Amino acid sequence: MSDDSRPAPAAAARTAAVIPAAGRGVRLGPGAPKALRSLGGTPMLIHAVRAMAASRAVSLVVVVAPPDGAAEVKSLLDAHALPGGTPSGSWGRTDFAVVPGGESRQESVRLGLEALPPGYDIVLVHDAARPLVPVDTVDAVIEAVRDGAPAVVPALPLADTVKQVEPAAVPGDPEPVVATPERARLRAVQTPQGFDRAALVRAHETVTGDVTDDASMVEQLGLAVVVVPGHEEAFKVTRPLDLVLAEAVLARRRLNDGF
Ligand code: CTP
Ligand code: MG
């Protein structure tokens, strides 16, 4: 067997992260687009980019900005670049790019994927709205993709029991319960989700229905999706109370870091 017939070593695969940040944040209430709202004095998006750049494996971050906000996001990233005067478009060893997003999260992710240069065989998709995900979670996702899974999602067991209902025609009316899935077998899914790039690109070219995460698109292709342990600090900032929790997590980190 010649060397050429062997697959390239998995560790050589380069990893890029796509960060959809083009949403308005309607559930958070009136104000700036959610990704640009401040958390501990720094825009949420900057926290999310730092969380990806914190992984030594991630060498490119593509931010998908609000459709009319790409220039603003680009200057924001330059302004928050690591100290040491790195050139525009990079944070130390991590390059970044900004593209305008679309109407849906799905479309925004697709636009981010289209902006990826060749050479990145592993792609993470990470919500800007999950600014506090720890680097260990990011690395665990990447490692599972390197180990051969076409799609990897971090997830946690549920605290609440979940009911499937027949949605009421009039909001607020009582809703009949249809089923109660066994809680021990359910997981609440977070990001970053990690993918073999070719599988994710094919999923975005093939799957047309509405989805709320990228892994479910790969699932629809019939490919294996695996779950690795998520982290409670990877929660999504969705409603006003989530901002309170995020500020508290940051305050706890500052205390622990001795600031
Ligand atoms: N997102 C995106 N493009 C869209 C919609 C959402 O890039 N057209 C991104 C958001 O910026 C966010 C992530 O997808 O980082 C998860 O979406 P969600 O938490 O629903 O954020 P929003 O859509 O901004 O919030 P809401 O649904 O309350 O408006
Ligand atoms: Mg949304």
Side-chain angles (χ1 to χ4, degrees), residues 158 160-164 179-183 186:
L158 290 156
D160 296 324
T161 295
V162 171
K163 302 284 185 196
Q164 187 183 337
T180 304
E182 186 189 342
R183 189 177 66 189
L186 297 176

Side-chain angles (χ1 to χ4, degrees), residues 174-185:
E175 301 177 314
V177 169
V178 176
T180 304
E182 186 189 342
R183 189 177 66 189
R185 295 171 69 98

Side-chain angles (χ1 to χ4, degrees), residues 10-198:
R14 292 212 290 164
T15 302
V18 172
I19 302 189
R24 300 251 321 280
V26 172
R27 287 168 291 178
L28 204 52
K34 180 159 73 178
L36 303 182
R37 304 265 283 246
S38 163
L39 208 61
T42 304
M44 206 181 303
L45 171 64
I46 298 298
H47 290 280
V49 175
R50 282 183 182 150
M52 297 301 104
S55 169
R56 297 195 61 82
V58 174
S59 48
L60 172 67
V61 175
V62 175
V63 174
V64 188
D68 54 357
E72 186 189 346
V73 165
K74 178 76 170 57
S75 13
L76 204 60
L77 286 165
D78 279 331
H80 286 86
L82 294 173
T86 52
S88 171
S90 107
W91 277 11
R93 61 186 154 74
T94 312
D95 295 331
F96 66 80
V98 180
V99 296
E103 281 298 307
S104 65
R105 182 186 182 281
Q106 206 175 357
E107 197 185 337
S108 293
V109 172
R110 184 178 54 76
L111 291 165
L113 280 177
E114 283 171 3
L116 281 184
Y120 293 89
D121 295 331
I122 296 177
V123 178
L124 302 179
V125 180
H126 180 60
D127 293 328
R130 298 181 190 271
L132 302 179
V133 60
V135 68
D136 288 354
T137 306
V138 181
D139 285 337
V141 168
I142 296 169
E143 191 168 327
V145 180
R146 284 180 171 169
D147 284 347
V152 178
V153 299
L156 289 177
L158 290 156
D160 296 324
T161 295
V162 171
K163 302 284 185 196
Q164 187 183 337
V165 300
E166 192 55 54
V170 180
D173 275 6
E175 301 177 314
V177 169
V178 176
T180 304
E182 186 189 342
R183 189 177 66 189
R185 295 171 69 98
L186 297 176
R187 299 288 180 269
V189 166
Q190 305 177 322
T191 73
Q193 302 189 348
F195 302 91
D196 167 66
R197 177 183 180 165

